[in-house]
């Protein structure tokens, strides 16, 4: 088998062009995704069905032409299998009906091996995908993923998405021991979860800290970053050749203060961070991934302008094209295809 351009790029090797994928690339902007979700009945059923999850994972490869597939699942299956009842409600997003309020609530949840061994549908989906990608032989990569402990904890504590994070942050300042106990318990599950994903056949893993920017910079290391690095160190000790991508959203103040460290391979740059700043501060240590503002996808001209500018900024550097956060459901498919084609054209060597 030849080498995978996406994996090569994660490891900082020379590639014929800069590979590209999009966060949330399997999703509602694709009519073919909507058709499979309809057949599944709802979103969680789709996550629980390896054949259908495989099908939607592959759709962006076939329809949009990206260089890597990302496992179709959700970060919230982890707290769900720890024992928290989860529902996705149309128009409201994810809901945990019994959020964690106390040490007793936390003690009632499954930890490490007990929780990670219940995620069999994820591992089966990966096994099916591995077999299919190997059969195709076109060297497209498969990305596994997890939420970072802090981002998962916000949902487990708030019970739903939040704008102010006031319940999680009240715990951070008034009961930090409980927050740390939650973060540690989640960290232990996530370590085993990523291990099992790698064993099942993913080429690369990405850690999403989508709500990193909710923590003030002087507290982020203590409640966010240090748990991520514990996970990274655990994975790198066992699987030194598997690239790890970290995506902490909204952290340019931390980048400027030099607070980014750790033994991961790729730093995912969000759209609010200038790529030139990320390159100056981090480009010698990490491959950089990103970072077009996802709403530029509404305009082909604005997409081309950004792709060309990113290609120019990253010329001679180590780069993977992506959006600076997830693609939105009302983006025309042809504009997503245009983005992918433009990335390949503008970076061809
Ligand atoms: O293509 C892919 O990226 C793979 C699948 C994937 C999903 N969620 C599918 C999904 C991935 C990697 C995620 C990660 C995820 N989930 C994150 C981190 C990434 C980010 O965007 O910051 C977060 C915070 C979640 C939690 C979550 N899941 C929310 C807040 C929502 C509701 C918001 C929304 O977009 O509806 C989900 C639902 C969800 N996860 C959908 C998909 C395709 C939409 C469900 C549907 O089909 O209705």
């Amino acid at each position: 088998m030849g080498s995978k351009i996406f994996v090569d790029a994660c490891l900082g090797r020379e590639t014929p062009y800069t590979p590209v994928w999009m966060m949330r690339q399997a999703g509602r902007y694709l009519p073919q995704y909507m058709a499979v979700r309809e057949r599944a009945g709802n979103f969680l059923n789709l996550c629980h069905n390896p054949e259908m999850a495989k099908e939607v994972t592959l759709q962006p490869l076939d329809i949009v032409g990206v260089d890597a597939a990302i496992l179709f699942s959700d970060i919230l299956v982890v707290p769900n299998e720890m024992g928290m009842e989860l529902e996705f409600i149309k128009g409201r997003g994810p809901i945990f009906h019994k959020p964690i309020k106390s040490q007793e609530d936390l003690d009632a949840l499954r930890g490490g091996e007990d929780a990670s061994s219940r995620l069999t549908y994820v591992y089966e989906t990966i096994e099916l995908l591995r077999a299919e990608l190997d059969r195709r032989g076109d060297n497209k990569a498969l990305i596994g993923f997890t939420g970072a402990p802090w981002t998962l904890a916000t949902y487990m504590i708030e019970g739903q998405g939040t704008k102010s994070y006031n319940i999680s942050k009240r715990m951070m300042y008034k009961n930090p021991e409980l927050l740390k106990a939650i973060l540690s318990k989640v960290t232990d599950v996530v370590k085993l979860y990523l291990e099992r994903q790698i064993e099942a056949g993913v080429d690369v893993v990405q850690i999403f800290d989508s709500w990193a920017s909710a923590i003030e910079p002087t507290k982020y290391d203590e409640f966010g970053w240090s748990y991520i690095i514990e996970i990274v160190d655990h994975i790198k000790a066992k699987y030194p050749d598997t690239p790890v991508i970290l995506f902490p959203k909204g952290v340019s103040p931390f980048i400027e203060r030099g607070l980014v460290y750790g033994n991961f391979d790729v730093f995912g740059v969000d759209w609010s961070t200038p790529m030139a700043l990320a390159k100056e501060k981090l480009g010698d240590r990490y491959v950089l991934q990103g970072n077009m503002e996802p709403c530029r996808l509404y305009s082909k001209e604005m997409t081309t302008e950004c792709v060309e500018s990113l290609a120019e900024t990253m010329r001679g550097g180590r780069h993977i094209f992506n959006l600076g956060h997830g693609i939105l459901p009302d983006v025309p498919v042809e504009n997503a295809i245009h983005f992918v084609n433009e990335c390949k054209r503008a970076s061809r060597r």
Side-chain angles (χ1 to χ4, degrees), residues 23-28 33 37 43 70-76 88 93-94 145 151 155 208 210-211 325-326:
M23 282 188 273
R24 291 287 186 93
Q25 65 188 13
R28 286 166 295 187
Y33 166 82
R37 197 185 74 174
F43 173 68
I70 181 161
L71 162 74
F72 190 84
S73 183
D74 196 82
I75 61 168
L76 299 179
F88 283 86
F145 70 90
T151 288
Y155 288 98
F208 288 92
S210 304
W211 313 135
H325 200 194

Side-chain angles (χ1 to χ4, degrees), residues 112-328:
E113 184 59 35
D114 286 348
S116 59
S117 63
R118 293 172 62 93
L119 290 147
T120 46
Y121 46 90
V122 173
Y123 313 133
E124 276 170 35
T125 304
I126 293 170
E127 282 163 14
L128 292 177
L129 283 161
R130 180 76 279 148
E132 171 64 14
L133 291 171
D134 289 350
R135 189 191 65 72
R136 292 180 172 199
D138 55 4
N139 294 318
K140 301 246 175 167
L142 179 61
I143 305 168
F145 70 90
T146 180
W150 162 253
T151 288
L152 291 175
T154 62
Y155 288 98
M156 296 165 79
I157 296 164
E158 310 270 345
Q160 58 189 340
T162 165
K163 285 202 165 68
S164 61
Y165 306 88
N166 54 316
I167 310 175
S168 319
K169 292 209 253 183
R170 185 192 305 141
M171 193 183 285
M172 178 182 295
Y173 295 113
K174 289 202 69 169
N175 192 357
E177 296 75 25
L178 178 56
L179 178 54
K180 286 182 181 177
I182 297 171
L183 294 167
S184 290
K185 193 157 184 169
V186 171
T187 298
D188 289 344
V189 179
V190 164
K191 283 179 186 168
L192 297 173
Y193 183 44
L194 289 183
E195 265 188 54
R196 297 277 301 263
Q197 290 190 31
I198 294 168
E199 292 289 333
V202 301
D203 298 297
V204 175
V205 292
Q206 171 154 323
I207 302 172
F208 288 92
D209 203 3
S210 304
W211 313 135
S213 69
I215 310 182
E216 60 170 313
T218 58
K219 292 282 183 193
Y220 183 57
D221 193 71
E222 188 180 351
F223 293 98
W225 197 266
S226 59
Y227 293 92
I228 295 175
I229 296 308
E230 189 182 326
I231 294 163
V232 172
D233 286 346
H234 178 84
I235 292 302
K236 279 294 179 183
K238 286 208 160 171
Y239 305 97
D241 300 331
T242 301
V244 176
I245 308 173
L246 218 150
F247 176 72
K249 184 166 177 287
V251 296
S252 50
F254 314 165
I255 297 176
E256 276 172 296
R257 288 158 166 241
L259 297 175
V260 173
Y261 64 88
N263 188 24
F264 56 91
D265 302 275
V266 182
F267 184 89
V269 184
D270 73 87
W271 61 265
S272 71
T273 302
M275 192 52 107
L277 170 78
K279 187 184 181 196
E280 181 202 322
K281 300 283 186 185
L282 306 173
D284 55 340
R285 286 183 288 151
Y286 303 110
V287 176
L288 299 178
Q289 175 176 279
N291 73 340
M292 189 171 88
E293 143 68 287
C295 291
R296 279 195 182 245
L297 283 174
Y298 293 124
S299 155
K300 287 187 186 168
E301 292 71 31
M302 288 295 121
T303 294
T304 294
E305 179 191 80
C306 181
V307 167
E308 286 182 345
S309 153
L310 284 171
E312 191 50 43
T313 303
M314 291 311 295
R315 208 169 296 288
R318 301 172 301 160
H319 184 215
I320 294 162
F321 278 110
N322 203 319
L323 307 175
H325 200 194
I327 185 171
L328 293 165

Side-chain angles (χ1 to χ4, degrees), residues 48-59:
H48 291 160
N49 183 312
E51 271 300 336
M52 288 187 183
K54 174 189 110 176
E55 192 178 340
V56 295
T57 301
L58 294 171
Q59 285 174 349

